[in-house]
Amino acid sequence: MEDDSDDNFAPAPEETERMVEYPDSSRANRRPPSFRSRPHEIHCKYDVRVISISGEYIVTSSSITKVWSVDTGACIGHIGHPDIRVTAIAFKPSLNVEDEGSAIWLGTRDGALLEADIRTLRIVNKRTGVHSSMIKGIYRCGFEMWTLDEDGRIQIWGPDERTGLPHLNAAPKAQRVQVATACAIVVNSQLWVGRAKQVTVYQPSFSQSEVVQFTVTRPLTATKPAADITCAAVVAADHEHVYFGHEDGKVSVYSSTKLTCVDVVSISLYKITAMAGVGNYLWVAFRTGMIYVYDVGQRPWTVMKDWKAHEGPIQTMVVDRTSIFKLGALPVITMTATDNILTTWDGMLKQDWLELNMQEHEEEYCSFRTVQALICTWNVGAAKPTDMHQASMDSKFLRNLLTTADDPEIVVFGFQELVELDNKAVTAKSMFKHKRKHKVKANAQQHMSHQYKAWQDYLTEAVSHLDSRYVLLLSDNLIGLYTCIFVKEREKSEIGQLRSSTVKTGLGGLHGNKGAIVVRFTLDDSSLCFVNCHLAAGQSHVIPRNNDIANIMESKITTGGLGSTANTSDIYVGGGDGSMILDHEICFVNGDMNYRINLHRVPVMKLLEKRDLDKLLESDQLLTQLKKNPSFRLRPFSESPITFPPTYKYDIGSDTYDSSEKKRTPAWCDRIYYRGPGKIFPIEYRTHDVRVSDHRPVSGLYDIKVKTVDRELRKEAMQMALLRWDDFVRDSIERARLHFHENEQRLR
């Protein structure tokens, strides 16, 4: 048995806030939404401070202003402004949508304003003296331009009587807002300003004398604790809400009509650095370099995508609402503070859209069948097969397990501690000793190999008594961990891409006393992955267990790729290629996960006497992590309802929970989790009375829906999907054009 010496009760640190629902990430796609026909990166090769995009043009600026083509990535030209450093940028509105992107305003460090013609690459106007400090932002509101400096002075440039457009030669109307603003955004005809933890809304109004006044709201604050504000965004399809990102990974949501905070959503533990409304979705960038795409139209929010976009914190994310009806696409541009590389992303998520659309029409080109999988997880506690014969109930365990399952197509045994982790010669201590290291290691390996072989023979003999004929598909081991998978003989020919790999998490990944065995394969045209894991022990070691799971889930288990007749998106999900666990359509994670109950032993024993499992489960560390930790890697997975008592820790040979001096608190250490929406149907989840170990085995029986793809029918289905995509683009263009005209007319 493993050393659990720190198992005296020490509650794991918990958040003080109430349980919250984090965005549903069960179907998130991790494929970066890169364009296939547009450049992915544009290397600016100079210090870029501000970016803006309109249609086909991307404009970058600081000491020089450059114009780039979003279609080719080429630099169209540059606009010189010697000795002037640009600190803010925005495209000037046009009366006709076709003229959008033809002129741009540049705000400078010394408070001057420049207007440049994009087509001629020339400065056509300049205004000084209206701002006495650095211009922090230029905002467009209908046919007005608002310029804001770092002293809180805002100038409103109304439309010129002759042209109907703002002009730098006009007399602007000045007002003041809060200084040291973290972000500002125009919503309808209001200016929403975020500063520290507060939001202030400014509503400009014109008197008959044309003097602009601001109606200022009292400071708005989030209804739940949230750190300082960092950025803001609106979603085009949602006229009601304004979204503010915070340093602690929360998003506060405000009503633009009621001017109140209506929600605070926890989406991450990391700082939000940039946000943008892209189509119907909210794109959020983090200091980790990750980007998440959220569907905020439902509660809880749904994570549509997440991917590693940059190695460093993302500083800027920009998108142009008019691009969709100018280009038939919606480029999103991101950049960090240091690399001066513009990265372009497909804001319409074409590949994801096609993949999901094909999945929705699987019935048109796939045939399906149901296979059954029996999974048994058990911390054996270094017991040998011969120990199973010492008690009649133990000797009947495998027979009862296998016969009640009615000959499943797949039988998976995932064992932990097949060798004793306390006293085996290959502990970390002995591995790091130089003297006799090789001899000790060789003897230990021989001992472990004998144990694995003994259990394999024992399991093989057990399945041989079933009515159907089974064959050993694969067995693998990792210092105490052991996975053994059998399949019906007739299924063997339908299995492909069989791979096994191990992930070490002990001693920071150096030692295999903790970790996982990962087995993946395809059955027909479906991908399956079985993970057998043993996580960090100890009552208080929730974070190490979480880290173990993260390391396992993020490990590259094998190289991706299939035969030439297969399409990756038919076999795998989430934009994956089979190289990672979550790429697989059907996933099971079982093992001694070691999560405990956050209660003292006495109340736990009293609740067990009452058979009040529901009350105990409220304090289960694993279930708590699923509810409260947005980065917990098992959140996309499900578990069948637990109706059995804790599986750990028993006195060996009895039904009594630990009566030793340590008196460890009982816990549901042994679990089976699964992920495969619409593909996995649980039948039974139970424990078994085997007394040779201090853990009880847990088994799960599942129906699994697998598919076979008809290649010719798939081609036809893809052609139909592309036609539906074209319809979607046309509809998106029409809605964007209508929204643009309605918004411009409303703000005139």
Side-chain angles (χ1 to χ4, degrees), residues 487-503:
V487 297
K488 283 185 177 179
E489 187 176 45
R490 66 171 182 264
E491 297 293 342
K492 185 70 181 293
S493 61
E494 306 302 323
I495 290 175
Q497 300 297 312
L498 177 63
R499 299 286 188 278
S500 175
S501 62
T502 58
V503 181

Side-chain angles (χ1 to χ4, degrees), residues 305-537:
K305 285 191 77 64
D306 64 271
W307 72 97
K308 184 75 169 179
H310 296 272
E311 291 303 318
I314 299 169
Q315 174 181 263
T316 305
M317 178 157 50
V318 295
V319 63
D320 171 37
R321 58 183 176 170
T322 69
S323 291
I324 191 169
F325 51 80
K326 284 185 163 186
L327 305 175
L330 197 58
V332 181
I333 311 298
T334 59
M335 191 184 76
T336 70
T338 57
D339 61 13
N340 297 313
I341 298 174
L342 308 181
T343 306
T344 64
W345 309 103
D346 178 9
M348 295 186 73
L349 307 177
K350 179 178 180 180
Q351 292 306 311
D352 297 0
W353 192 98
L354 288 172
E355 185 175 301
L356 288 172
N357 195 266
M358 288 289 285
Q359 291 173 4
E360 291 171 0
H361 293 81
E362 277 185 343
E363 303 286 344
E364 298 175 10
Y365 62 95
C366 295
S367 57
F368 301 90
R369 67 186 179 106
T370 298
V371 298
Q372 199 169 88
L374 172 66
I375 300 173
C376 177
T377 185
W378 185 23
N379 185 316
V380 179
K384 303 177 181 64
T386 53
D387 298 333
M388 301 289 288
H389 300 296
Q390 295 179 8
S392 60
M393 184 171 293
D394 292 355
S395 64
K396 296 176 182 177
F397 158 56
L398 283 180
R399 182 180 302 176
N400 293 338
L401 169 70
L402 294 169
T403 54
T404 56
D406 193 24
D407 286 10
E409 280 74 14
I410 304 169
V411 180
V412 179
F413 294 101
F415 291 168
Q416 306 85 43
E417 286 196 64
L418 211 67
V419 294
E420 194 167 348
L421 295 183
D422 275 352
N423 301 319
K424 67 181 185 299
V426 198
T427 59
K429 184 176 179 181
S430 67
M431 288 294 286
F432 287 116
K433 284 182 178 178
H434 178 71
K435 185 177 180 180
R436 298 180 61 217
K437 179 175 67 174
H438 299 295
K439 182 177 180 181
V440 170
K441 183 176 179 181
N443 291 338
Q445 292 290 355
Q446 184 177 4
H447 167 70
M448 288 189 291
S449 297
H450 179 75
Q451 277 281 75
Y452 300 136
K453 182 66 166 58
W455 273 104
Q456 181 173 311
D457 291 344
Y458 187 66
L459 297 173
T460 301
E461 197 274 335
V463 299
S464 69
H465 292 286
L466 295 174
D467 293 337
S468 299
R469 182 174 174 82
Y470 287 81
V471 294
L472 176 65
L473 180 67
L474 180 145
S475 67
D476 200 357
N477 61 80
L478 174 67
I479 306 182
L481 278 169
Y482 180 63
T483 294
C484 190
I485 301 180
F486 297 89
V487 297
K488 283 185 177 179
E489 187 176 45
R490 66 171 182 264
E491 297 293 342
K492 185 70 181 293
S493 61
E494 306 302 323
I495 290 175
Q497 300 297 312
L498 177 63
R499 299 286 188 278
S500 175
S501 62
T502 58
V503 181
K504 297 178 181 180
T505 60
L507 295 181
L510 297 175
H511 197 43
N513 64 319
K514 294 293 187 291
I517 299 172
V518 183
V519 180
R520 51 70 61 102
F521 55 87
T522 59
L523 178 60
D524 299 345
D525 286 322
S526 293
S527 56
L528 293 82
C529 187
F530 297 89
V531 182
N532 174 24
C533 64
H534 195 181
L535 308 183

